[in-house]
Amino acid sequence: MQNQQKIRVAVRIRPLLDHEKRQGHLNSRIDCNGQEVIIKEERNKKSYKFDHVLPETASQDQVFKSCEIDQLVQSVIEGYHVTVFAYGQTGSGKTFTMEGLRDDEGIAIKPDGIIPKTVHSLFNKIKQNALQKDFSVYCSYLQIYNEKIYDLLGETTKTSYNVQANGLKMRWNVRDQFVVENLFVYQCKSAEEVIQLFKLGSRNRITASHKLNFQSSRSHSIFEIKIESIDLKNPDYFITSKLELVDLAGSERISITGTEGRQAKESIEINKSLMTLRQVIAILSDTNNKTIPPYRDSKLTCLLKQSIGGNCFCLMIACIAPLDTFYDENVSTLQYATKAAYITNIPVKNDDPKLKIINDLKQQINSLKLELSKANEHIEFLSNIVQKKDNNQNMNNVQTRSNFDNMNNVQTRSNFDNLLQNQQKLLEVESSDEDANKFEYTQFNDRLIDSINMVRELLLSNKEMREREEQINQKCESMYREIQFLQKENFELRERLGDPDQQRESPQKRPSTIKKNTMMVEEPGFLPEQMTQFQRNFQKDFRDTPNKDYKDSQMQMTNRNVRAHSQRTQGRQLPLISNYQQNFEEVQQDEMTNFGRRSLYQKQLK
Ligand code: ADP
Ligand code: MG
């Protein structure tokens, strides 16, 4: 990742003022220990940890040193944007911390705050770097009140607030920044010039608050020092950076100031910037919150966009007036300060556009390298998995094995070679896996199609068999009827012949294997050997008949009938049984075939 930097947070607890002590105010609830601010509550103790905690006794010098502001100034010299802002309720010591001691009229009488110290530090560093770089320093000073931007260093200070009645406009520039239009910017050659301008602006701030009828604590002020540096050895190397020193309006709640109704509404509108700032801090501090911070909702957050969650080094100084009466305000200040400490900025060196492009490209290269190495790791990881899989399965794929063998040389090759090799191996392994899968899939498909075809065949043959069975049944039916008819005819004939004993001789066996609609021959016809017996009986019966002609004619008639009957029964009956047997065998065979197919199909499914 790029050079990430959390917003540094310092908490300064101011001492009780003389008049507060006289009024009997106490500090019985706020204490500090090292980097911790402790809230002593009746039931449970709360403690907040910060980068820097400055107790009541801390001097301005100690604040400057503890907050490592010198390092921030060094960053500005190197080309980074830096922001220092003071946050806290009215009277908590923001202006005191930023500017220094003021008299009762608000005139700075001891310029020992962060701003004057920073300006001196800046010019000291400029002096130290004078042989390498040529620096130019520019100052501007503005305040935001009721969502309007006023120039505190306007040319005609007496009339400027009338001219600026609607405030200065703000626009979005190509460098992804909000800039205030027509804001006076002064070039300064020394720290004194800058401090002088700052004092002038601060005085104007108070004058403006009188003219516009508001307390100066209700406006936000931004003192901006812009630094341009040109490398003397390489004049193309041009850097611009800025140092923003911000004194915010009081963060007190409306209930404390006693404003109600319309005034309260006005107060909310006036502090819209502060409210938006709190929202931005809350959103940015919560990494799970993907909401876009509402920078554009207020002038202050627009101008501090780079400072909070942007590309600046940023220091927040949360000021606390430790009076017991301000307990809620102090807890709120500590909570916002804690949130701010979670915000990550990515400070970026502000080189000139050409260098910026080069640096951007370098950064891109770095990030691509990083991605590449990650991809490399990922590929190696995947390769290892594939290798393990290969080892476990003991694949016989020679190509794959040779690829894996190659992997033992991974350590000795360059990263790029490794990447190519690994990719190659992965592709090959993947393709061989794919082939195996494809083969399996085709096999399975073929088997499935075979099975479906077999089922279809089975169904078809079943249908055919059913139809054939139906036909056989019909044939059986008609034959049975014919047999019945013949039996009846036989019976009549036997009656006429007078040999009833012959009729039940050797009844024909039924084919035992045919169950349904098979031969139902109750009175089977005579078979040829029975005929001879019949003839013998007939001859015996008519042996003693005196009338030879009658005997002969009867004999001839009987013979004729027997022959005719024999022809009818033999000619039909025998083929009938053989047909049955044939059909039965066919059905049996079909059933066997079906059974075989079924069992084969079941095997294949398994
Ligand atoms: P704010 O700007 O937050 O409204 P000020 O900076 O005006 O508050 O401070 C309010 C009062 O407290 C001033 O009279 C200031 O001189 C005093 N004060 C603030 N901080 C300190 C401090 N650390 N030591 C002594 N006096 C302080
Ligand atoms: Mg103030």
Side-chain angles (χ1 to χ4, degrees):
M1 284 299 284
Q2 283 173 306
N3 180 26
Q4 286 192 345
Q5 196 81 33
K6 295 266 185 217
I7 290 182
R8 269 198 297 132
V9 178
V11 172
R12 184 180 196 185
I13 302 164
R14 76 156 168 83
L16 287 179
L17 302 176
D18 288 342
H19 72 270
E20 288 167 345
K21 284 178 190 166
R22 280 199 299 275
Q23 285 169 6
H25 286 288
L26 288 170
N27 171 20
S28 59
R29 301 177 87 175
I30 290 184
D31 200 0
C32 62
N33 181 19
Q35 282 180 279
E36 276 182 325
V37 176
I38 300 152
I39 302 275
K40 292 178 277 185
E41 269 192 300
E42 285 163 15
R43 288 180 191 166
N44 55 336
K45 231 164 103 173
K46 274 185 196 169
S47 84
Y48 300 86
K49 204 174 176 187
F50 299 99
D51 296 302
H52 320 279
V53 173
L54 305 149
E56 297 173 9
T57 51
S59 66
Q60 299 282 61
D61 274 343
Q62 281 172 335
V63 172
F64 189 80
K65 277 182 190 158
S66 300
C67 292
E68 297 166 357
I69 293 172
D70 225 22
Q71 286 182 16
L72 291 175
V73 176
Q74 182 59 35
S75 300
V76 180
I77 293 284
E78 286 170 10
Y80 293 94
H81 293 328
V82 170
T83 302
V84 178
F85 72 96
Y87 179 92
Q89 68 174 103
T90 302
S92 61
K94 299 183 295 294
T95 308
F96 181 87
T97 302
M98 295 303 285
E99 294 181 25
L101 189 63
R102 284 179 168 192
D103 63 13
D104 289 342
E105 288 177 7
I107 308 297
I109 50 174
K110 198 178 179 190
D112 57 357
I114 285 172
I115 294 174
K117 281 182 188 294
T118 304
V119 173
H120 283 293
S121 168
L122 178 72
F123 277 91
N124 280 341
K125 292 197 187 305
I126 286 174
K127 219 174 172 181
Q128 285 165 16
N129 289 281
L131 292 173
Q132 293 91 43
K133 285 178 181 175
D134 182 34
F135 290 93
S136 304
V137 178
Y138 303 89
C139 297
S140 63
Y141 199 4
L142 62 84
Q143 75 169 342
I144 301 165
Y145 172 71
N146 203 5
E147 282 307 282
K148 285 177 188 148
I149 300 169
Y150 299 100
D151 189 348
L152 291 173
L153 297 173
E155 199 179 27
T156 49
T157 46
K158 281 182 185 170
T159 56
S160 60
Y161 296 105
N162 295 331
V163 174
Q164 296 173 21
N166 294 320
L168 298 176
K169 284 184 181 170
M170 201 174 59
R171 67 176 167 81
W172 183 252
N173 77 355
V174 283
R175 289 191 124 199
D176 207 22
Q177 294 169 352
F178 282 102
V179 288
V180 179
E181 280 182 346
N182 300 320
L183 187 72
F184 275 84
V185 178
Y186 297 85
Q187 186 171 12
C188 301
K189 295 285 178 192
S190 65
E192 286 69 32
E193 278 183 32
V194 177
I195 290 170
Q196 213 178 335
L197 277 170
F198 175 70
K199 277 184 182 174
L200 180 69
S202 296
R203 204 176 297 129
N204 283 339
R205 191 181 177 191
I206 295 160
T207 317
S209 66
H210 290 316
K211 281 201 171 190
L212 298 169
N213 196 22
F214 69 90
Q215 292 175 335
S216 63
S217 62
R218 298 181 86 179
S219 74
H220 312 278
S221 72
I222 301 175
F223 183 62
E224 186 181 289
I225 305 170
K226 195 173 152 191
I227 297 120
E228 287 177 0
S229 72
I230 296 169
D231 194 324
L232 293 174
K233 286 180 187 164
N234 179 14
D236 285 341
Y237 197 58
F238 173 80
I239 298 176
T240 310
S241 55
K242 64 181 180 184
L243 171 61
E244 281 183 329
L245 302 155
V246 185
D247 184 5
L248 293 177
S251 63
E252 63 276 359
R253 290 190 309 183
I254 295 160
S255 59
I256 300 276
T257 56
T259 47
E260 282 171 8
R262 196 175 136 266
Q263 264 188 310
K265 260 190 173 179
E266 210 174 76
S267 197
I268 290 165
E269 185 61 30
I270 288 163
N271 269 337
K272 190 181 172 188
S273 279
L274 206 61
M275 279 168 60
T276 314
L277 177 71
R278 284 173 177 165
Q279 279 178 14
V280 169
I281 288 174
I283 290 168
L284 289 173
S285 62
D286 182 1
T287 44
N288 294 326
N289 192 341
K290 302 295 171 202
T291 317
I292 297 167
Y295 288 110
R296 284 169 183 266
D297 284 6
S298 80
K299 297 277 186 336
L300 177 73
T301 44
C302 282
L303 294 174
L304 293 183
K305 188 175 183 291
Q306 289 175 301
S307 312
I308 298 165
N311 58 1
C312 296
F313 284 104
C314 185
L315 169 70
M316 174 187 193
I317 303 173
C319 297
I320 283 176
L323 285 74
D324 288 347
T325 43
F326 293 147
Y327 172 77
D328 290 338
E329 298 305 315
N330 289 331
V331 169
S332 163
T333 301
L334 291 170
Q335 282 172 348
Y336 276 101
T338 309
K339 284 179 186 172
Y342 284 106
I343 298 173
T344 306
N345 281 3
I346 303 170
V348 177
K349 207 171 181 177
N350 298 279
D351 306 316
D352 81 313
K354 275 184 279 175
L355 280 165
K356 197 175 182 300
I357 290 168
I358 294 167
N359 284 340
D360 283 353
L361 288 171
K362 275 182 186 169
Q363 268 184 10
Q364 261 186 24
I365 290 168
N366 283 338
S367 65
L368 286 171
K369 271 184 185 170
L370 201 77
E371 274 180 34
L372 195 65
S373 70
K374 274 187 181 172
N376 226 345
E377 280 172 26
H378 189 65
I379 288 163
E380 258 185 47
F381 174 73
L382 287 176
S383 304
N384 286 337
I385 291 173
V386 174
Q387 192 177 19
K388 273 181 194 168
K389 191 182 160 193
D390 181 65
N391 289 339
N392 289 341
Q393 292 181 350
N394 198 13
M395 280 167 66
N396 289 325
N397 189 329
V398 175
Q399 192 185 6
T400 312
R401 197 179 288 163
S402 71
N403 283 328
F404 287 143
D405 289 341
N406 288 342
M407 282 177 66
N408 294 331
N409 302 324
V410 163
Q411 298 299 328
T412 55
R413 289 198 203 105
S414 74
N415 266 346
F416 188 66
D417 283 345
N418 285 344
L419 177 68
L420 287 178
Q421 288 281 341
N422 287 345
Q423 278 179 338
Q424 182 73 23
K425 280 166 212 159
L426 270 175
L427 283 172
E428 283 167 3
V429 170
E430 272 172 19
S431 67
S432 71
D433 274 351
E434 253 180 43
D435 286 346
N437 285 341
K438 260 186 194 170
F439 179 67
E440 271 180 29
Y441 177 73
T442 340
Q443 256 196 341
F444 179 75
N445 241 7
D446 289 346
R447 279 170 61 186
L448 194 69
I449 289 165
D450 282 350
S451 307
I452 289 167
N453 285 337
M454 202 178 289
V455 170
R456 197 182 291 159
E457 271 175 38
L458 282 169
L459 288 171
L460 270 173
S461 66
N462 267 349
K463 192 187 167 194
E464 277 170 21
M465 281 170 65
R466 269 200 306 277
E467 283 172 358
R468 204 183 293 174
E469 197 186 14
E470 195 67 29
Q471 283 172 7
I472 291 167
N473 286 341
Q474 280 175 6
K475 266 187 195 175
C476 279
E477 205 57 44
S478 64
M479 277 160 42
Y480 177 62
R481 262 185 261 115
E482 197 175 347
I483 288 165
Q484 273 187 331
F485 170 74
L486 288 171
Q487 278 176 345
K488 196 184 167 191
E489 202 180 70
N490 246 352
F491 186 71
E492 283 172 1
L493 192 62
R494 277 204 303 276
E495 269 188 345
R496 277 174 62 196
L497 287 171
D499 188 12
D501 296 332
Q502 288 289 332
Q503 60 190 338
R504 284 183 181 85
E505 247 180 39
S506 87
Q508 192 183 346
K509 276 186 186 174
R510 295 177 198 174
S512 58
T513 45
I514 296 171
K515 296 163 198 166
K516 188 190 161 196
N517 290 334
T518 51
M519 294 277 283
M520 301 296 283
V521 185
E522 295 292 331
E523 300 292 336
F526 295 113
L527 295 175
E529 60 272 22
Q530 291 171 332
M531 288 301 127
T532 47
Q533 182 62 38
F534 175 72
Q535 280 169 338
R536 274 200 298 278
N537 288 340
F538 180 81
Q539 282 166 0
K540 191 182 122 193
D541 289 345
F542 285 90
R543 200 186 308 155
D544 303 324
T545 305
N547 191 344
K548 198 177 178 291
D549 292 342
Y550 174 72
K551 191 177 150 185
D552 287 344
S553 68
Q554 282 294 318
M555 187 70 175
Q556 277 171 8
M557 192 187 75
T558 309
N559 276 342
R560 223 179 19 251
N561 281 338
V562 165
R563 255 197 317 275
H565 172 75
S566 176
Q567 273 171 6
R568 275 204 303 272
T569 51
Q570 280 181 23
R572 288 178 193 175
Q573 203 172 7
L574 291 173
L576 173 72
I577 291 162
S578 66
N579 274 348
Y580 253 100
Q581 277 171 345
Q582 196 189 335
N583 287 336
F584 176 66
E585 275 163 18
E586 275 175 26
V587 169
Q588 258 189 333
Q589 207 168 356
D590 277 346
E591 269 185 4
M592 287 293 286
T593 323
N594 282 347
F595 176 75
R597 280 174 180 172
R598 239 176 270 134
S599 55
L600 181 68
Y601 171 63
Q602 277 167 358
K603 255 187 214 168
Q604 282 186 351
L605 275 186
K606 275 176 196 169

